[in-house]
Amino acid sequence: MTPTPQWLNGPLENRGGKLYFDGVSAEELAEAFDTPLYVISESRIRDNYTRLCNALTRNYEKIRVYYAAKANSNLAVLNILEKEGAYLDAVSPGEVFMALTTGFPPSRILFTGTSVRNDELRFLADSNITVNFDSLSQLDRLLKIKVPTVLSVRVNPEIGAGHHNHCITAGKNTKFGLWETDAVKAYKTAKAAGVERFGIHMHVGSGVLDVDPFVLALDKLLNVAKKVHDELGVSFEFVDMGGGIGVPYKPEDNELDLALFSEKVLALFKRRVKEYDLGEPFFCVEPGRYLVCDASILLTRVNTVKVTPFKRFAGVDAGFNTLVRPTMYGSYHHVLVANKLDAPDEETYDVAGPVCESGDLLAKDRRLPKIQEGDLLAVLNAGAYGYAMSSQYNARPRAAEVLVKDGKCAVTRERERLDALVSGQRVAE
Ligand SMILES: *Cc1c(COP(=O)(O)O)cnc(C)c1O
């Protein structure tokens, strides 16, 4: 049987039973660059970015799309989005450094950190990066270093959402953002210190496929903006509703309706901005996953097929050291046998990695074509929080990354060699 047609959109293609990605054969990529291998489609990243921008600008002109770099900070990915004109959301000085290295001007970078050190604040001040504050102490500490020209506050809109508890970043139980009273205090302090230009921000969580949580939280955010405006006379250059737009991972998942999202969110935005007399702020979003997730697959080779009295395991060369999401969040990633797309699904497999832990499964109880050793598996939707969360656990060097576009390919990150495992270490006398 052919895989569910929905998986054969975008860069995925079935040519005579063989998987192609953005015009390049998965088998040829595995032959040329070995496995495990992350393959990134340039065309898909550009399509995702353009689709989102178009959907938003249809309802409001002043739009900014900040790419949340933590989802995938490969330089090639950053470079593509820089060329598209994206802004960038950084959560660490390292991401700011990567963005500046890529060529993002400081004016297009927003830093949203939590638990930030003084030397990090100094680095941000010296680099002229706009900071989005996550605590009153962080603001006080920055003001002692330098009074910035622009400043934003991350508000906890009291409504969170996300695909897993670890990914809900607003509401009662999260460390993120300032509650309303403290948010007002922050703007008051900043204004008194001489800050003149302001933004306001929230981020409700990750992997959200419904429009309603965004609308509810944005309403709360704008309500806080109104308070700040009324009490302090502050006006806002931008209102940032954060990231979190989900993507379908399971064949039966629906996509977020982007047109509806844009329509509902921006209708509320325009109504409240007018009602509250907030001027004409930029409307910003910070997608990470949405831009890069389905633009990448992970190729992994089958080493072993093992049948026990209870289970059938396909042992592959990528484990949770390579892709941690299934182990960390219980996430589903669709798996295809890249060299047998037309074969019927005949057996049920657990796809297991090489790590010495029972939790090292990329997929559980999957109906797949009969797998033989040497077959090539493709793990879909691997572009967000894939390579970025990989590790050297079990002393395995990290995978390579290759960029593909319209039938062409180029290595964008070399496979780590064994010497990467000892780099920087020394044995004490
Ligand atoms: C992680 C993060 C994002 C991106 O989240 P996605 O779910 O990948 O869209 C955006 N903004 C902030 C502040 C984040 O921490």
Side-chain angles (χ1 to χ4, degrees), residues 199-217:
I200 191 164
H201 172 275
M202 70 173 186
H203 172 63
V204 296
S206 199
V208 186
L209 288 164
D210 297 322
V211 178
D212 291 348
F214 290 116
V215 175
L216 288 171

Side-chain angles (χ1 to χ4, degrees), residues 37-99:
L37 181 71
Y38 277 96
V39 187
I40 307 170
S41 159
E42 173 166 347
S43 314
R44 186 62 174 184
I45 294 176
R46 290 187 191 277
D47 287 352
N48 289 344
Y49 180 80
T50 309
R51 187 181 330 106
L52 181 61
C53 286
N54 289 346
L56 293 172
T57 44
R58 204 164 294 137
N59 293 301
Y60 191 67
E61 267 181 19
K62 292 176 73 177
I63 295 288
R64 285 180 187 165
V65 175
Y66 286 81
Y67 169 54
K70 73 175 188 284
N72 187 331
S73 55
N74 182 305
L75 279 182
V77 172
L78 298 183
N79 188 56
I80 292 164
L81 288 163
E82 194 282 316
K83 293 283 186 308
E84 286 287 340
Y87 289 65
L88 185 134
D89 174 66
V91 292
S92 71
E95 284 182 4
V96 171
F97 167 78
M98 304 268 305

Side-chain angles (χ1 to χ4, degrees), residues 207-360:
V208 186
L209 288 164
D210 297 322
V211 178
D212 291 348
F214 290 116
V215 175
L216 288 171
L218 180 64
D219 206 7
K220 176 67 193 178
L221 183 74
L222 291 168
N223 201 268
V224 175
K226 171 189 165 27
K227 281 228 166 81
V228 174
H229 176 72
D230 291 353
E231 287 180 25
L232 308 169
V234 160
S235 54
F236 293 98
E237 270 184 29
F238 64 89
V239 174
D240 187 335
M241 70 162 287
I245 302 176
V247 298
Y249 282 89
K250 293 183 184 161
E252 66 269 23
D253 286 347
N254 291 316
E255 322 184 5
L256 178 99
D257 184 339
L258 204 57
L260 185 76
F261 169 83
S262 166
E263 203 182 294
K264 277 197 163 180
V265 161
L266 285 165
L268 176 86
F269 176 77
K270 287 186 285 188
R271 194 164 76 238
R272 293 291 188 243
V273 160
K274 198 162 169 219
E275 191 183 330
Y276 300 160
D277 198 20
L278 294 176
E280 266 189 27
F282 278 95
F283 178 82
C284 313
V285 288
E286 292 173 349
R289 190 187 312 275
Y290 184 80
L291 296 181
V292 293
C293 184
D294 64 5
S296 184
I297 57 175
L298 169 63
L299 296 178
T300 181
R301 189 76 76 183
V302 177
N303 300 319
T304 324
V305 175
K306 185 180 197 173
V307 183
T308 75
F310 301 97
K311 286 269 183 188
R312 191 175 292 269
F313 291 98
V316 297
D317 59 11
F320 78 71
N321 55 319
T322 317
L323 178 68
V324 79
R325 297 190 72 259
T327 304
M328 184 149 149
Y329 304 123
S331 303
Y332 179 100
H333 281 265
H334 204 60
V335 172
L336 301 174
V337 184
N339 53 318
K340 294 179 175 169
L341 291 185
D342 289 335
D345 293 339
E346 280 184 301
E347 304 274 14
T348 302
Y349 293 95
D350 280 5
V351 179
V355 175
C356 293
E357 299 211 21
S358 291
D360 185 31

Side-chain angles (χ1 to χ4, degrees), residues 1-9 12 250-252 334 336 345:
M1 262 205 293
T2 48
T4 322
Q6 106 167 70
W7 294 110
L8 286 178
N9 59 20
L12 294 164
K250 293 183 184 161
E252 66 269 23
H334 204 60
L336 301 174
D345 293 339

